[in-house]
Amino acid sequence: MKKRAVGLMMAAVLAVTVLAGCGGKVKFEPETSSIYVKKDGTVISADLEDFEGSNYNESELRTYVEDAVKEYNSEHGAASEAYVDEKDEDTILPVKIHSLAVEEGIASLFLEYEKCGDYLEFTGNSGTENGLSRLELSTVGETSFSGNFKNAKGEDVTLEGVTKKEKNPVVILEGAVTIQVEGTVQYASAGVTLVDKHTVTTPADSVSYIVFK
């Protein structure tokens, strides 16, 4: 399958409301290209770009993205569709479009992926020098950690403290990205920068671990 890169960025803030744990909701409000990882393993990506001076229009952009999503889904045994009707809860697509818009010269694209692997494969970042070459969701008890860790206050912590609650989810990734998790960050490996209690940025040259609850 051909690798696809749908690279879009935007400077303004655009929010997507996604379901959070315990029946609540959380706003995914990225100011730069980012990903949101949920506890069930699904991923939402926000690709944001200045559209001024582009050689193609919004209609052409929409057609390109829709065709890429349809082709990917078809190749992975799903319906050749790019959107899911909210009333049809039984329809599962490996990739689906949340929203795509161009306003005041700014393009914004939000996609949802059924699994972390779908994100890597569809975006074509797997194995490349830029972006993510690894993205996994696991639990503390199933993860073999390495390196040094800090808590949400930036304090050094022991590996014993990190692994104490085995059922806590952990995101394992390699590459530079801004990532928001469906929960509160508890611990992160050295080199990860805490943006807020839900969001971190990761370094480009190492494997990062983000433990949250």
Side-chain angles (χ1 to χ4, degrees), residues 104-188:
E104 298 181 357
I106 300 299
S108 62
L109 171 64
F110 286 77
L111 298 176
E112 181 172 333
Y113 308 84
E114 184 184 5
K115 298 178 296 185
C116 293
D118 290 313
Y119 169 80
L120 289 176
E121 188 174 355
F122 181 81
T123 59
N125 284 336
S126 183
T128 64
E129 294 182 1
N130 298 315
L132 296 181
S133 59
R134 182 180 180 183
L135 179 64
E136 302 172 16
L137 179 68
S138 187
T139 63
V140 167
E142 297 172 331
T143 302
S144 297
F145 293 96
S146 62
N148 300 315
F149 286 80
K150 294 182 180 294
N151 61 21
K153 296 180 180 180
E155 302 167 334
D156 292 332
V157 293
T158 65
L159 193 57
E160 181 180 1
V162 174
T163 59
K164 187 175 181 179
K165 296 184 178 180
E166 295 187 350
K167 293 184 179 180
N168 277 353
V170 53
V171 178
I172 309 159
L173 63 161
E174 185 169 3
V177 72
T178 298
I179 173 173
Q180 180 177 331
V181 295
E182 186 187 25
T184 303
V185 176
Q186 301 297 297
Y187 307 101

Side-chain angles (χ1 to χ4, degrees), residues 10-66:
M10 140 180 128
V13 175
L14 190 151
V16 170
T17 301
V18 292
L19 293 178
C22 302
K25 291 183 178 180
V26 62
K27 293 283 188 178
F28 178 42
E29 302 177 313
E31 297 182 7
T32 61
S33 292
S34 309
I35 62 173
Y36 178 86
V37 178
K38 301 174 68 175
K39 292 179 180 179
D40 64 1
T42 58
V43 178
I44 296 176
S45 67
D47 294 310
L48 318 168
E49 181 178 317
D50 185 352
F51 205 63
E52 292 286 354
S54 175
N55 293 325
Y56 47 95
N57 58 36
E58 180 178 356
S59 178
E60 292 171 328
L61 173 63
R62 184 175 298 278
T63 297
Y64 170 76
V65 175
E66 289 176 347

